[in-house]
Amino acid sequence: MATRDNPAPTEPESTSATIDAVLDVVARSAPDVRSGLPGRRVAIEGENPSGESQKAADVYADELFLDRIGSISNVGVYASEERAEGIDVGSGLSVCVDPLDGSSNLEPNAAMGTIVAIYDGPLPASGDDIVAAAYVLYGATTTMIVAREDSVTEYVIHQDGEYEVAREDVTLPEDPTVYGFGGRVPHWVEAFQSFVDDIESDPSMKLRYGGAMIGDVNQVLTYGGIFGYPTLTNAPEGKLRVQFEGYPVGYIVETAGGATSDGHQSLLDVEKDDLHARTPVYVGNEELIDDLESAFSDHE
Ligand code: FDP
């Protein structure tokens, strides 16, 4: 693991205070991420560890978060989707960041996010190790969703980095109305296609798909429904990464009263021993996730 100097741990010392400090830094950094986007919409030469092309904005946001999160006392490791290995920044909690989720939305100027997972354990962590998760949504406004200690809160972040509670105790609405699924449709497996056919035959459901997971998940948290980036015939593990996307979004949706799955089990029960391992991701209202898992077990 790469190392980096970090000041000797001072305050904050408790896990809860460290979580507070990480979330505060993420919220206060969001306007800086946003204001750094113009001029960084182009692809650069490098690839991330998953073999995807990087944009200048991905690298900019990653360096900004490494610098700021890596300086917090009692953060032990900073890992990001943009780096092959975690960076040893001290001793304490492990923080996994997807600095710019949905960065292919940069060119068409559509929504994107930042995802943060905080684990009390070494990386790669298990779903049980997660102690808090959050995402920032750079949409028409900048908001942050935080799940910790059994509740989900939405904040609005202002341009000066100050933020305030917009909604407490966020829960998925009981009657789902939206769905959105990634991957090329010809690569969907039969079980998934039959589940989608059922969803589409329900007149109360409508398609809402924006191409950035965080934007699509936020639709589900707001209106109720289901989002998935499924298993594909040419990519059985789908596209999204367990440590950076599956666990944190799974933790947020389950804390908000929803359900999650990789097709067979909760996302939080997925076990992978590679920092950048992928998993199919399905999140939403419990009855829809139950139907999805039934469709997969019926086709086995
Ligand atoms: P992106 O590659 O633009 O960063 O995991 C990243 C992600 O976006 C998700 O936000 C999004 O749901 C998915 O990939 C989109 O994948 P496709 O390129 O296959 O549409």
Side-chain angles (χ1 to χ4, degrees):
M1 187 184 292
T3 57
R4 179 175 181 276
D5 287 340
N6 203 26
T10 50
E11 292 293 326
E13 278 177 4
S14 70
T15 297
S16 176
T18 306
I19 294 169
D20 287 344
V22 172
L23 296 173
D24 185 65
V25 157
V26 171
R28 290 182 191 281
S29 299
D32 297 331
V33 172
R34 202 167 181 131
S35 65
L37 299 179
R40 291 194 174 88
R41 294 162 70 178
V42 291
I44 54 172
E45 272 187 19
E47 284 187 343
N48 72 13
S50 303
E52 295 155 356
S53 72
Q54 285 177 311
K55 294 212 160 37
D58 289 313
V59 175
Y60 163 77
D62 177 43
E63 281 169 3
L64 187 143
F65 285 120
L66 166 62
D67 192 43
R68 297 185 185 180
I69 294 174
S71 300
I72 298 170
S73 300
N74 300 316
V75 171
V77 178
Y78 170 91
S80 105
E81 276 204 2
E82 307 303 328
R83 295 170 189 268
E85 292 180 0
I87 308 285
D88 182 348
V89 292
S91 71
L93 301 178
S94 302
V95 181
C96 281
V97 178
D98 182 356
L100 265 190
D101 173 71
S103 57
S104 47
N105 273 1
L106 259 173
E107 284 182 66
N109 191 24
M112 288 177 307
T114 292
I115 310 172
V116 180
I118 307 175
Y119 300 104
D120 192 356
L123 300 179
S126 79
D128 285 343
D129 293 331
I130 196 162
V131 288
Y135 64 73
V136 173
L137 176 59
Y138 308 99
T141 58
T142 308
T143 54
M144 180 167 79
I145 287 278
V146 172
R148 64 186 294 196
E149 288 159 13
D150 298 326
S151 80
V152 176
T153 308
E154 181 181 45
Y155 299 85
V156 170
I157 303 173
H158 300 290
Q159 272 178 343
D160 60 1
E162 293 300 317
Y163 52 101
E164 60 187 310
V165 173
R167 272 193 299 164
E168 282 178 330
D169 296 323
V170 175
T171 51
L172 266 73
E174 271 178 32
D175 297 323
T177 56
V178 299
Y179 66 94
F181 304 119
R184 267 176 53 69
V185 177
H187 291 150
W188 288 356
V189 301
E190 211 182 311
F192 185 64
Q193 182 66 65
S194 83
F195 168 74
V196 177
D197 290 345
D198 286 348
I199 293 267
E200 295 192 324
S201 66
D202 178 344
S204 59
M205 296 294 286
K206 59 187 170 190
L207 174 65
R208 286 283 179 93
Y209 184 71
M213 178 178 68
I214 284 313
D216 294 325
V217 167
N218 209 55
Q219 294 264 359
V220 170
L221 268 192
T222 308
Y223 295 118
I226 183 166
F227 163 78
Y229 200 105
T231 179
L232 300 171
T233 52
N234 62 342
E237 297 303 314
K239 179 175 183 191
L240 304 179
R241 278 138 284 218
V242 179
Q243 305 283 321
F244 301 96
E245 292 161 319
Y247 285 158
V249 164
Y251 184 77
I252 290 167
V253 171
E254 291 193 19
T255 305
T260 71
S261 182
D262 68 347
H264 306 282
Q265 60 183 344
S266 160
L267 286 174
L268 298 176
D269 292 331
V270 169
E271 294 281 351
K272 295 280 169 71
D273 54 13
D274 181 316
L275 181 64
H276 293 279
R278 302 173 194 266
T279 178
V281 164
Y282 311 94
V283 301
N285 288 68
E286 193 172 349
E287 68 267 28
L288 297 176
I289 296 295
D290 286 348
D291 291 348
L292 171 98
E293 289 189 343
S294 302
F296 277 107
S297 59
D298 289 350
H299 281 77
E300 271 170 1

